[in-house]
Amino acid sequence: MASSFYLWEESKVFDDLLQNILGYITSTSPTLSSSYEIQNTWIGIYDKGQIARSHNHEPAYKSFCYYISSEEPSTPMIFDDVGLRISPLTDMLIVFPSHMNHSVPPSSGGERIMAAGNINATFEKIEFRDSRDIKP
């Protein structure tokens, strides 16, 4: 079960959490960006046997999954193109480039509650000058 993709606009319950996530992404990203903003956010609740088919979040810049609750044993999030498997724990944040395909196999454990979302970035324009135009 998933909420609306615009949960962050429809409810203020997760404002502090989302601002902390956005702050973390901003502080760990290249300084060439002029701004980051949340594109969309949703809550997912997954029970035993449920899956997430392979997908990505293009054209967003970065995506995230924050695990509000993840009962053991935890079924991994798999980054399909690189074979990376991450077994989430409660209070774990996973941030990744939005173009990466990822999936979750059928859940073998208990309930998993997560906040997921996408981040847009606006990059500053950098102008390069021909070094022959620079006078000593």
Side-chain angles (χ1 to χ4, degrees):
M1 174 177 71
S3 70
S4 159
F5 287 114
Y6 297 95
L7 175 69
W8 62 281
E9 291 179 328
E10 298 165 357
S11 173
K12 301 302 176 194
V13 171
F14 296 100
D15 278 2
D16 289 342
L17 172 64
L18 296 175
Q19 287 308 309
N20 286 338
I21 291 170
L22 188 60
Y24 174 78
I25 291 171
T26 299
S27 71
T28 59
S29 293
T31 57
L32 294 177
S33 174
S34 58
S35 66
Y36 295 95
E37 64 183 9
I38 294 173
Q39 178 182 354
N40 48 32
T41 300
W42 60 96
I43 299 296
I45 301 173
Y46 298 92
D47 291 316
K48 187 173 183 174
Q50 292 185 307
I51 67 168
R53 288 182 169 69
S54 186
H55 65 284
N56 64 50
H57 295 255
E58 287 185 303
Y61 173 65
K62 293 209 178 186
S63 297
F64 65 87
C65 290
Y66 173 74
Y67 293 89
I68 298 166
S69 174
S70 184
E71 295 178 4
E72 298 287 335
S74 181
T75 302
M77 177 181 208
I78 301 172
F79 291 93
D80 304 311
D81 300 331
V82 295
L84 177 63
R85 300 167 69 92
I86 300 175
S87 294
L89 302 170
T90 296
D91 200 32
M92 177 184 277
L93 175 64
I94 301 172
V95 179
F96 54 95
S98 296
H99 70 271
M100 292 185 74
N101 290 313
H102 55 284
S103 61
V104 178
S107 175
S108 58
E111 183 177 73
R112 178 188 309 196
I113 303 172
M114 54 165 248
N118 297 309
I119 304 294
N120 284 336
T122 303
F123 293 96
E124 296 174 5
K125 182 178 178 182
I126 299 174
E127 293 186 31
F128 294 95
R129 294 184 355 198
D130 190 323
S131 61
R132 294 173 290 192
D133 293 337
I134 300 173
K135 307 271 189 269

